[in-house]
Amino acid sequence: MTSLLDSPVPAAEDDPALRRGAARVLYANWTGASTVPSRGLYPHQWSWDSAFIAIGLRHLSARRAQRELETLLGAQWADGRVPHIVFNPAVPLDAYFPSPDFWRSSRDGAAAGAPAGIETSGIVQPPVHALAAWLVHLADPEASRRRRFLPRMYEALTAWHDYLTGARDLGDGGLAAVLHPWEPGMDNSPCWDAPLRRIEPAAAGSYRRADLDHGAAAERPTDLDYGRYVRLASDYRDSGYADEGPQHAFAVEDPGVNALLIVSEHALARIAAETGADPAPHEERAGRLTAALVERLWSPEAGMFLCRDLVGGEPIAERSVAGLLPLVVPGLPQDLVDALIGTATGPGFRLGEIPMVPSYDLTGPAFDPSRYWRGPAWFNTGWLLERGLRRHGRAGAAERLRTSMLTAAGACGFAEYVDPFTAEARGTREFGWTAALTLDLLARDPAEEDAGRTDGVVAGALV
């Protein structure tokens, strides 16, 4: 039986106007080597944005999707980390903060292996890249093989995963840890409120928030939180971006980050097999990561996975969408799958009842339908949940979510995020991964995907 992982995606035919609109966004945001998330608010290349963008861009140009990932990994550090921002030197310094002169990667990151000729940030984002590389390969396998795309990606991606499972295993429990709220990608999540209270914010006059030039203050992080982000980033920079040795004021094991690492490790096994390397070490590591994820972050009481604060030594009680993302993990125990879907469809997230899945528990004390990652719905997390539902045999729920996301994407102008109840646009418009994942949702044929199931589970290891 053909696995979804081994099947190229059919062309989109069901909504040409929506497809054209999404394509226009990606073409407009293309810089010649990569795609910016948005021309105003985010004028550089972002790490997990580029992975999601490549997944959608492959439906327009497999070659350009390859270039997207090649550009990002061309800025990889010698220690294996993939930085969360690769700066475009043509963009003025005051267009975005923290700017390259804040991070000073080529100087202050030299001991950790930062590249000398490219300026980047020094922190990371979730590892979606191996999954993206495999899906991009499948869009045009012949061209991919001719250009030796996967052999070149394999070495870089293996080093990336080695970094996360090595230097970033700060809890000695087998999971990767994040050292800054920006690293899990859900920057302003209420999950970070308690750990951030330990952080003395940077002085307000020591930096300028460029994000407020392009976004409403009520939809962005508060000044207090932003000052804490700046303090953490500057302390990490001043340590030479060292992971081992210093006492980190913020260190958290995040279920979303580790779920994506597991999925990408399975993808890396496929890449290994395609390139003639041994896939077994990657499958074995994916298995160890899955066991550690369940052991360290599963909460039967919450009915989902929780973040763990490594400084305080306790789980973080706040329930965010990150705790549902392990639905994408192959081989998750069935009772946990059932519990996760029960939580997703319950009063906290109301999957199937409201247009899109919120980023934070609707019944939680910190819920806000408009403020960045404190309640609004995002298209990348919805895309992951849709695939997780489908791989675990919940095709009806997956299709309803897919349809709702496509409706919202067109109505909101491909917004960065939306109100989960109304799907009204929030954040910036013409956002890269919203457009890209719209293309991917349009291009997949759910009936063909459902035919690839055995006993209610997708055949194969991934999507």
Side-chain angles (χ1 to χ4, degrees):
M1 182 176 293
T2 301
S3 163
L4 300 184
L5 199 58
D6 297 319
S7 301
V9 179
E13 297 177 351
D14 51 344
D15 195 335
L18 185 58
R19 188 176 191 274
R20 286 194 298 271
R24 279 195 296 270
V25 172
L26 295 185
Y27 287 137
N29 291 3
W30 176 252
T31 68
S34 64
T35 308
V36 297
S38 76
R39 284 288 180 179
L41 185 55
Y42 306 107
H44 301 284
Q45 182 178 26
W46 261 257
S47 173
W48 76 326
D49 291 75
S50 276
F52 287 120
I53 286 167
I55 289 169
L57 195 55
R58 66 193 172 122
H59 302 297
L60 302 177
S61 167
R63 176 66 185 88
R64 187 171 285 189
Q66 291 175 22
R67 182 73 183 279
E68 185 81 38
L69 297 174
E70 290 164 351
T71 300
L72 177 68
L73 291 173
Q76 185 174 26
W77 291 27
D79 66 0
R81 82 181 74 192
V82 175
H84 98 295
I85 303 175
V86 180
F87 290 107
N88 180 350
V91 173
L93 288 178
D94 63 358
Y96 181 80
F97 180 85
S99 50
D101 58 338
F102 171 89
W103 294 103
R104 303 196 298 260
S105 63
S106 60
R107 188 188 79 181
D108 293 356
I118 302 172
E119 293 300 325
T120 75
S121 66
I123 60 175
V124 301
Q125 279 189 324
V128 198
H129 312 89
L131 170 61
W134 179 248
L135 294 178
V136 167
H137 164 75
L138 293 181
D140 190 343
E142 290 186 8
S144 172
R145 292 178 184 124
R146 187 168 58 250
R147 295 190 65 250
R148 294 187 54 77
F149 171 65
L150 287 184
R152 289 183 288 108
M153 291 291 100
Y154 180 65
E155 181 177 354
L157 292 168
T158 299
W160 171 218
H161 289 197
D162 287 347
Y163 168 76
L164 291 171
T165 56
R168 284 302 188 92
D169 182 9
L170 300 179
D172 294 323
L175 295 180
V178 295
L179 299 177
H180 194 288
W182 290 337
E183 291 200 319
M186 302 181 188
D187 308 22
N188 198 36
S189 170
C191 293
W192 319 137
D193 289 357
L196 281 175
R197 290 189 192 105
R198 297 188 293 259
I199 312 302
E200 180 69 24
S206 65
Y207 63 93
R208 188 187 77 83
R209 292 186 60 176
D211 63 315
L212 297 182
D213 295 341
H214 304 280
E219 297 176 8
R220 304 293 299 171
T222 65
D223 286 340
L224 177 59
D225 283 339
Y226 209 91
R228 288 165 168 158
Y229 304 154
V230 173
R231 172 70 66 189
L232 282 169
S234 61
D235 286 351
Y236 190 41
R237 175 200 64 203
D238 293 345
S239 77
Y241 299 107
D243 297 317
E244 299 169 338
Q247 178 62 46
H248 297 286
F250 182 100
V252 172
E253 291 173 345
D254 177 85
V257 169
N258 283 281
L260 291 173
L261 178 57
I262 294 166
V263 170
S264 277
E265 196 66 46
H266 283 295
L268 201 53
R270 294 298 181 93
I271 294 171
E274 168 69 25
T275 60
D278 184 4
H282 301 293
E283 293 291 2
E284 291 166 3
R285 181 150 69 183
R288 291 193 301 272
L289 284 162
T290 301
L293 178 71
V294 171
E295 179 182 353
R296 293 181 64 81
L297 303 187
W298 174 250
S299 170
E301 296 78 17
M304 65 190 306
F305 292 86
L306 298 178
C307 297
R308 176 177 290 275
D309 179 5
L310 295 177
V311 178
E314 298 291 337
I316 296 171
E318 303 288 358
R319 303 198 315 167
S320 86
V321 71
L324 300 177
L325 295 187
L327 272 175
V328 300
V329 172
L332 203 63
Q334 189 60 46
D335 59 330
L336 270 61
V337 171
D338 294 340
L340 282 172
I341 293 174
T343 299
T345 56
F349 295 91
R350 295 176 62 183
L351 170 67
E353 293 184 35
I354 59 177
M356 287 181 58
V357 180
S359 53
Y360 174 70
D361 184 350
L362 297 166
T363 66
F367 174 76
D368 184 329
S370 297
R371 195 178 290 277
Y372 206 61
W373 289 110
R374 301 181 76 84
W378 293 70
F379 289 84
N380 65 329
T381 55
W383 181 87
L384 290 165
L385 290 174
E386 191 270 351
R387 299 185 80 89
L389 288 166
R390 203 175 291 282
R391 95 159 316 276
H392 289 292
R394 301 324 201 265
E399 182 57 22
R400 287 191 293 274
L401 179 56
R402 173 181 178 266
T403 300
S404 184
M405 289 176 64
L406 290 173
T407 299
C412 74
F414 305 102
E416 184 180 4
Y417 46 99
V418 298
D419 183 303
F421 297 111
T422 66
E424 184 178 352
R426 296 287 184 266
T428 191
R429 310 302 192 266
E430 299 186 343
F431 192 67
W433 78 34
T434 302
L437 298 177
T438 295
L439 286 175
D440 193 64
L441 290 170
L442 283 170
R444 282 189 292 110
D445 182 345
E448 179 175 297
E449 292 195 349
D450 292 342
R453 299 183 182 283
T454 303
D455 297 327
V457 179
V458 175
L462 205 51
V463 283

